């Protein structure tokens, strides 16, 4: 077989996740940036809340791309989910490219029926808050992050 069917994230799904994430950030009292990518790591939606710091645009995008690429939450773990020390985490970020991988928490894959259809990255809160918002946003469309 040379062709297969696949799932993809719709714009309505991305907008629903965005609305959920922004709502949760407001409730938490933090100004975040939310980045949502497709399965190939291409940006679908990006929003920086009023008061969000400018560097969070880059970090949220890299979190979304890294989560989509690895098909798992962003963290200081390598390709085989092995724990990385600081030197190895920095080395992996440099080897993968500054736009492709991060050790920072707050990125979730978007999994639909076992297939990764994208990633979401949240930046601007503490790591636990960023991660919690990303997970809830994914769940808001009936998808999974694990």
């Amino acid at each position: 077989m040379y062709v297969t069917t696949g799932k993809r994230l719709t714009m309505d799904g991305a907008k629903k996740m965005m609305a959920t994430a922004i709502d949760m950030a407001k409730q938490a009292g933090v100004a975040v940036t939310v980045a949502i990518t497709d399965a190939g790591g291409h940006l679908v939606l990006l929003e920086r809340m009023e008061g969000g710091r400018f560097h969070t645009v880059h970090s949220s995008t890299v979190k979304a791309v890294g989560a989509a690429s690895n098909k798992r939450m962003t963290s200081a773990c390598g390709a085989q989910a092995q724990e990385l020390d600081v030197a190895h985490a920095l080395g992996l970020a440099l080897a993968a490219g500054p736009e492709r991988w991060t050790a920072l928490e707050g990125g979730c894959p978007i999994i639909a029926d076992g297939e990764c259809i994208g990633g979401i990255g949240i930046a601007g809160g503490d790591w636990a808050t960023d991660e919690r918002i990303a997970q809830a946003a994914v769940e808001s469309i009936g998808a999974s992050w694990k």
Side-chain angles (χ1 to χ4, degrees):
M1 184 170 202
Y2 298 105
V3 178
T4 186
T5 59
K7 298 189 177 311
R8 67 178 182 81
L9 179 63
T10 65
M11 185 57 73
D12 285 344
K15 287 179 179 179
K16 171 70 174 161
M17 287 192 303
M18 180 67 73
T20 299
I22 296 297
D23 221 28
M24 286 189 69
K26 286 178 182 175
Q27 290 175 24
V30 295
V32 301
T33 298
V34 180
I36 300 171
T37 67
D38 64 15
H42 302 99
L43 195 60
V44 174
L45 281 178
L46 177 76
E47 184 171 335
R48 180 169 58 117
M49 293 175 64
E50 188 76 31
R53 294 176 307 260
F54 67 85
H55 75 272
T56 61
V57 170
H58 181 76
S59 54
S60 65
T61 303
V62 174
K63 289 178 185 186
V65 169
S69 175
N70 287 305
K71 299 174 178 63
R72 63 178 164 77
M73 302 281 294
T74 57
S75 67
C77 292
Q80 301 302 313
Q82 73 274 27
E83 292 291 323
L84 301 174
D85 59 26
V86 173
H88 285 96
L90 289 172
L92 181 54
L94 290 171
E99 308 291 325
R100 295 284 159 207
W101 189 86
T102 183
L104 301 175
E105 290 88 349
C108 287
I110 306 163
I111 310 289
D113 297 326
E115 187 175 335
C116 183
I117 60 170
I120 182 170
I122 311 293
D126 62 69
W127 291 336
T129 300
D130 289 351
E131 196 169 86
R132 186 176 70 251
I133 291 171
Q135 291 169 344
V138 169
E139 291 171 354
S140 75
I141 64 165
S144 173
W145 46 269
K146 49 183 170 177

